[in-house]
Amino acid sequence: MTGTSKSALRADATRNVAQIRAAALDAFHGRGLATPLEEIAKIAGVSKATIYNRFGGRDGLIDAVIGELVATEMYAIMERAQQVADPWECIATYVSDRRDLQYREPAFTDTLRMAYPESKNLIALANKATDVTTELLHRAHEAGVVRRDFTAADLYYADIANGLALAAMPKPARADYDRRTGFFLDSLRPQ
Amino acid sequence: MTGTSKSALRADATRNVAQIRAAALDAFHGRGLATPLEEIAKIAGVSKATIYNRFGGRDGLIDAVIGELVATEMYAIMERAQQVADPWECIATYVSDRRDLQYREPAFTDTLRMAYPESKNLIALANKATDVTTELLHRAHEAGVVRRDFTAADLYYADIANGLALAAMPKPARADYDRRTGFFLDSLRPQ
DNA sequence: AAGCAACTTGACCCTATAGTCAACTTGACG
DNA sequence: CGTCAAGTTGACTATAGGGTCAAGTTGCTT
């Protein structure tokens, strides 16, 4: 063999893969995972068909970039929460950080929604988030800092609703958004 | 003249108008105001072009049915709230009734969102709802039963978010939905 | 019952997006 | 440096929905 590369890709194909990834990151960041592939192709300077050749379509492309786009930040959020000792601060940090990521990254809401069930990496992320939510909420319930009748499904519903509103309306000012997150957090307390 | 009718519509056209209205009420009720016109035409037993002939398109059709579809219930909600003496119960009733209507009638969320700005009747309804919300919230603030930093825009945002989630996800069980409405109401209280 | 304006409609066109493929181009190896 | 597999792409198909119109049909008036 001539190198350490494991791929049989030709040089031009390798370059195109890199350009398409970069374009997808850029486009998904601004518009979410539903960005038309033709637009991504244009940014990358290739034709739409090349995306199908290299990634097999939107699902494969999502699989290829969701890590850099969302997974990194999501894992940071989960770890950050896990490091907060105070039970209430733990859940409050987790919820606030999720809301922050929704505000900055529409693709995060697409991930939570499992908008592309064929993308394995996306589904894995969504499931991981669900697991962590369940776990943190369980602890919060045990500690008595979150009302017993508030479930993981309730948090899921509220966050999807929030993400859809963000996508469908003019983006609210950060201050308004954060105040609303505060309201939501208040509603979690017992009584 | 041969009758008291003010319209110059021929008998077959009159019949079609009635059938289209009925079909639109039915379809909008189930699917919201975005139902494809072709589907409404099929239910009505006419061609899509006839809807354009009689109503001028979706906006005109919405204008023709939004009253029966949403306005009646919306005015009932506003009057019901206005009749509750206790300031907190007043706002709680108003918010709960809006959520209930969202659950039963997707077109109500379309109205709140002003999803069809060309439909005058829809816009008038949306504005009326905004006025009443502002007025009731003002009273609630005066009475000190709702936190000062909760604004009409906050209620608007929350209700749009809720309506979008209802449309995008499997409909939650009524009990879950009502519990979440309860959480939301709790978040309005001072502190 | 004949004529005509009112009415309806099938068959269009247009937009946007996903997805496919035959034919052309090009990188890399012997 | 010629060969050809790998790679690219323009042009295509398909789906879904909005919107329009020439041509045909029908209710109404006299």
Side-chain angles (χ1 to χ4, degrees):
Chain A
M1 19 180 140
T2 57
T4 57
S5 162
K6 63 180 179 238
S7 95
L9 279 188
R10 236 167 58 176
D12 53 347
T14 307
R15 192 183 344 111
N16 284 340
V17 165
Q19 280 166 350
I20 292 167
R21 284 188 96 256
L25 281 168
D26 198 53
F28 286 163
H29 182 70
R31 296 243 257 131
L33 302 182
T35 311
L37 293 186
E38 208 145 14
E39 192 176 309
I40 294 170
K42 202 177 124 197
I43 301 172
V46 301
S47 96
K48 182 176 51 144
T50 299
I51 296 182
Y52 283 92
N53 289 340
R54 297 288 124 245
F55 295 92
R58 184 185 305 279
D59 298 327
L61 185 56
I62 290 172
D63 265 341
V65 300
I66 196 76
E68 195 167 329
L69 196 64
V70 164
T72 310
E73 299 224 52
M74 229 184 74
Y75 278 102
I77 287 172
M78 300 188 296
E79 266 166 49
R80 182 161 175 238
Q82 232 108 30
Q83 247 137 33
V84 176
D86 179 76
W88 169 252
E89 282 308 318
C90 171
I91 200 82
T93 299
Y94 180 66
V95 169
S96 299
D97 284 353
R98 278 168 63 114
R99 290 280 163 128
D100 172 62
L101 186 50
Q102 285 190 292
Y103 189 86
R104 292 184 293 106
E105 194 70 72
F108 178 52
T109 298
D110 294 331
T111 302
L112 286 181
R113 291 180 60 203
M114 297 186 274
Y116 299 91
E118 300 304 313
S119 169
K120 289 173 193 284
N121 291 346
L122 182 146
I123 295 302
L125 270 181
N127 288 333
K128 179 68 182 168
T130 301
D131 290 350
V132 170
T133 299
T134 304
E135 151 79 13
L136 291 182
L137 212 47
H138 179 72
R139 279 201 240 156
H141 282 150
E142 290 294 294
V145 296
V146 166
R147 56 195 301 168
R148 286 274 174 186
D149 55 354
F150 184 86
T151 69
D154 294 336
L155 178 58
Y156 184 75
Y157 182 89
D159 278 356
I160 298 301
N162 180 56
L164 292 171
L166 272 175
M169 302 171 71
K171 219 175 193 183
R174 193 62 215 229
D176 290 327
Y177 185 77
D178 289 342
R179 185 161 36 78
R180 287 163 194 163
T181 299
F183 297 156
F184 180 61
L185 280 171
D186 286 346
S187 77
L188 305 192
R189 309 302 312 246
Q191 312 333 330
Chain B
M1 22 179 141
T2 57
T4 57
S5 162
K6 62 178 179 240
S7 96
L9 279 188
R10 237 167 59 177
D12 53 347
T14 307
R15 192 181 348 108
N16 284 339
V17 165
Q19 280 166 349
I20 292 167
R21 283 189 95 258
L25 281 168
D26 198 51
F28 286 162
H29 183 71
R31 296 242 259 132
L33 301 182
T35 312
L37 293 186
E38 206 144 17
E39 192 177 309
I40 294 171
K42 203 178 125 196
I43 301 172
V46 302
S47 96
K48 181 174 52 144
T50 299
I51 297 183
Y52 283 91
N53 289 339
R54 295 290 122 244
F55 295 91
R58 185 185 304 280
D59 298 327
L61 184 56
I62 290 173
D63 265 340
V65 300
I66 196 74
E68 194 167 330
L69 196 63
V70 163
T72 311
E73 299 225 51
M74 229 184 74
Y75 279 101
I77 287 173
M78 300 188 297
E79 266 165 51
R80 182 159 175 241
Q82 233 109 28
Q83 245 136 35
V84 176
D86 180 76
W88 168 252
E89 281 309 317
C90 171
I91 201 81
T93 299
Y94 180 65
V95 169
S96 299
D97 284 354
R98 277 167 64 114
R99 291 280 164 128
D100 172 63
L101 186 51
Q102 286 191 291
Y103 189 87
R104 292 183 292 106
E105 194 70 72
F108 177 53
T109 299
D110 294 332
T111 302
L112 286 182
R113 291 180 60 201
M114 298 185 273
Y116 299 92
E118 301 305 313
S119 168
K120 288 174 193 284
N121 292 346
L122 181 146
I123 295 303
L125 269 182
N127 287 334
K128 179 69 182 169
T130 300
D131 291 349
V132 171
T133 298
T134 304
E135 151 80 14
L136 291 182
L137 212 46
H138 180 72
R139 279 201 241 158
H141 282 150
E142 292 293 294
V145 295
V146 166
R147 56 196 300 168
R148 285 277 173 184
D149 56 353
F150 185 87
T151 69
D154 293 337
L155 178 59
Y156 184 74
Y157 183 89
D159 279 357
I160 298 301
N162 179 57
L164 292 172
L166 272 174
M169 301 170 72
K171 220 174 193 182
R174 192 63 215 230
D176 290 326
Y177 186 77
D178 289 343
R179 185 161 36 79
R180 287 163 194 164
T181 299
F183 297 155
F184 179 61
L185 281 171
D186 287 346
S187 76
L188 306 193
R189 308 303 309 247
Q191 307 341 324

